[in-house]
Amino acid sequence: MARATLPFLLLVALVLFIATYNTVTMIFRHSVEGGHGVDGGYPDPEIANRVDREDRPSSFSDPVIKRPPRTESSKRMPFHVAVTATDAPYNKWQCRLMYYWYKKFKDQPGSEMGEFTRVLHSGNPDDLMDEIPTVVVDPLPPGLDRGYIVLNRPWAFVQWLQKATIKEEYILMAEPDHIFVKPLPNLARDEFPAAFPFFYIKPTDHPQLVQKFYPASMGPVTDVDPIGNSPVIIKKSLLEQIAPTWMNVSLKMKEDPEADKTFGWVLEMYGYAIASALHGVQHILRKDFMIQPPWDLEVGNKYIIHYTYGCDYNMQGKLTYGVIGEWRFDKRSYLRGAPPRNLTMPPPGVPESVVTLVKMVNEATANIPGWEKAVSKDEVNLVEKVHGAAKKIPGRKGQS
């Protein structure tokens, strides 16, 4: 990474401070005066055959920060688990699943998970306050997110970091559709956060666009890691620096027609990656952080299942991605209420990652008190009708 002179760094710091101050002041003023969404979008199925980071061509690669070894005498480094959420039924049932598995693994050997907070950016308490530890923060002023609800995530973290008492030195930024599959240790090391490298976050594919927000004078585009903000384990002191910049960069990108069109539903992820680079922070890239069914076939040594994609299969266990399967599990099938207990298991031949996901959903729903009250019977009936139609009309196209 290029080294800048002290006067230049001071100038950059001043500009960032002014931008952050102006944005936060504006949001506060709007709040006084004025009183995750569905993240769909299917990748090309060929992406399932993607190569790993170290196998990518040199045009995409940049030095991988190696994880420093830990010895048996290393002290425990607990991290606070923080998940941002809305008060929509769709977010609520996912948070309940996540919190169930967090509690299951928190105190097991190998875990360094500390306390848990749901950062609720709806502005008002909801009916999960007694079930899940929650801090309520304000949403962005009306219209500022331009219909892209995920822009509330960086603003939620800015507020939470200011108002909450966080005992842990590190923070895991997570999302409602994450399920822990085993105890999670702290993968970060001091000033080097740990992050998952997403195959669809490719700063080097858009160098001129990225340099609108990360100037060439700051360094090469390869300084911008191929990550989002989640999952990331990061020092609290670093996140306190990055979060306001992440918010400002994301808002500026949303205002930019080219950036908005190019980055689409992952715009805020690019915002975090660019903001980190602006602060000179690079991440340890951990492919073992999580898996994303149906593209990742096995759980293996991974720590988290991210069920962002729909899983559609015929009864022979063949993936029918983009076409509604005879068997399916897709979180978007349950927008208005929770999935029912005891979901049907997938047919033989479906990958272990999908089987494990459904088993874990079923275990959690069987043990979470009052789960059936959150189930939308109308939505369950609709899902059953869609499955029936898929069986009768081969090749019918699904929707994300």
Side-chain angles (χ1 to χ4, degrees):
M1 185 181 293
R3 298 289 183 184
T5 63
L6 180 58
F8 179 75
L9 290 174
L10 290 174
L11 178 60
V12 170
L14 178 61
V15 170
L16 290 173
F17 172 80
I18 292 172
T20 301
Y21 176 83
N22 288 341
T23 302
V24 173
T25 301
M26 177 271 296
I27 291 173
F28 178 78
R29 184 171 65 249
H30 274 268
S31 299
V32 172
E33 295 173 353
H36 192 315
V38 180
D39 57 4
Y42 290 142
D44 188 313
E46 292 301 319
I47 295 177
N49 299 319
R50 64 191 183 277
V51 294
D52 289 330
R53 180 181 177 88
E54 59 265 31
D55 298 323
R56 290 172 177 157
S58 58
S59 61
F60 185 77
S61 63
D62 60 304
V64 176
I65 301 173
K66 300 297 184 181
R67 179 187 182 192
R70 290 181 68 177
T71 65
E72 290 297 323
S73 61
S74 296
K75 68 175 183 177
R76 189 172 182 271
M77 299 191 301
F79 53 87
H80 196 104
V81 180
V83 56
T84 56
T86 72
D87 60 358
Y90 175 72
N91 258 202
K92 285 181 178 178
W93 67 258
Q94 294 175 47
C95 287
R96 297 178 81 189
L97 290 180
M98 183 192 186
Y99 188 57
Y100 173 88
W101 286 106
Y102 155 81
K103 291 190 296 182
K104 193 91 168 177
F105 291 119
K106 176 183 180 292
D107 297 321
Q108 290 194 13
S111 168
E112 291 183 284
M113 293 188 279
E115 298 304 311
F116 185 104
T117 298
R118 180 180 62 134
V119 185
L120 182 62
H121 54 75
S122 61
N124 296 295
D126 65 4
D127 58 355
L128 294 184
M129 302 294 291
D130 294 332
E131 180 177 337
I132 303 174
T134 300
V135 170
V136 179
V137 297
D138 292 326
L140 289 167
L144 197 59
D145 64 11
R146 296 172 181 247
Y148 180 51
I149 197 170
V150 185
L151 279 182
N152 284 278
R153 185 174 293 152
W155 175 223
F157 272 110
V158 169
Q159 296 174 84
W160 177 62
L161 290 165
Q162 291 174 345
K163 70 190 297 185
T165 300
I166 306 164
K167 296 183 295 184
E168 297 86 352
E169 187 180 0
Y170 291 83
I171 293 169
L172 165 65
M173 293 189 285
E175 295 181 16
D177 59 352
H178 287 176
I179 288 181
F180 297 106
V181 293
K182 66 178 183 179
L184 178 61
N186 190 337
L187 305 178
R189 291 296 176 268
D190 297 322
E191 304 302 312
F192 295 105
F196 177 79
F198 288 89
F199 62 89
Y200 48 79
I201 302 297
K202 300 180 179 180
T204 53
D205 280 6
H206 315 282
Q208 293 182 334
L209 183 53
V210 169
Q211 286 177 342
K212 280 187 178 182
F213 309 96
Y214 184 72
S217 58
M218 294 290 293
V221 172
T222 51
D223 288 349
V224 181
D225 290 324
I227 62 171
N229 80 290
S230 175
V232 166
I233 300 178
I234 185 171
K235 253 190 174 179
K236 179 173 62 177
S237 57
L238 282 180
L239 185 57
E240 288 171 338
Q241 297 172 40
I242 293 171
T245 310
W246 170 26
M247 178 182 69
N248 285 323
V249 169
S250 298
L251 289 171
K252 288 293 185 184
M253 291 171 70
K254 189 63 180 175
E255 293 172 358
D256 184 286
E258 183 185 6
D260 190 23
K261 181 179 179 181
T262 301
F263 296 142
W265 64 275
V266 296
L267 180 146
E268 166 268 340
M269 297 172 71
Y270 274 95
Y272 174 79
I274 290 171
S276 297
L278 286 168
H279 284 274
V281 175
Q282 287 190 297
H283 297 68
I284 302 168
L285 303 181
R286 296 295 301 247
K287 290 180 291 183
D288 60 345
F289 216 147
M290 73 178 188
I291 60 169
Q292 300 187 96
W295 309 117
D296 296 306
L297 307 182
E298 298 179 350
V299 175
N301 64 342
K302 312 305 191 296
Y303 295 100
I304 293 171
I305 292 178
H306 181 210
Y307 55 98
T308 191
Y309 297 116
C311 300
D312 287 275
Y313 293 87
N314 63 24
M315 299 312 290
Q316 289 72 49
K318 181 180 179 181
L319 181 66
T320 63
Y321 199 71
V323 176
I324 295 175
E326 295 176 277
W327 181 94
R328 92 176 326 211
F329 176 77
D330 187 340
K331 66 179 184 177
R332 296 167 196 84
S333 297
Y334 306 100
L335 298 177
R336 295 177 293 178
R341 286 173 165 162
N342 196 28
L343 291 173
T344 303
M345 292 301 297
V350 170
E352 179 235 6
S353 60
V354 178
V355 174
T356 300
L357 169 61
V358 178
K359 283 182 177 179
M360 296 186 79
V361 169
N362 282 344
E363 178 180 331
T365 60
N367 289 283
I368 296 175
W371 183 267
E372 65 281 354
K373 296 178 181 178
V375 175
S376 169
K377 291 183 174 59
D378 290 340
E379 196 149 52
V380 170
N381 291 337
L382 178 61
V383 171
E384 290 174 350
K385 288 179 181 178
V386 169
H387 283 192
K391 293 177 183 178
K392 294 176 183 178
I393 309 173
R396 178 175 175 175
K397 294 294 182 182
Q399 294 181 348
S400 62

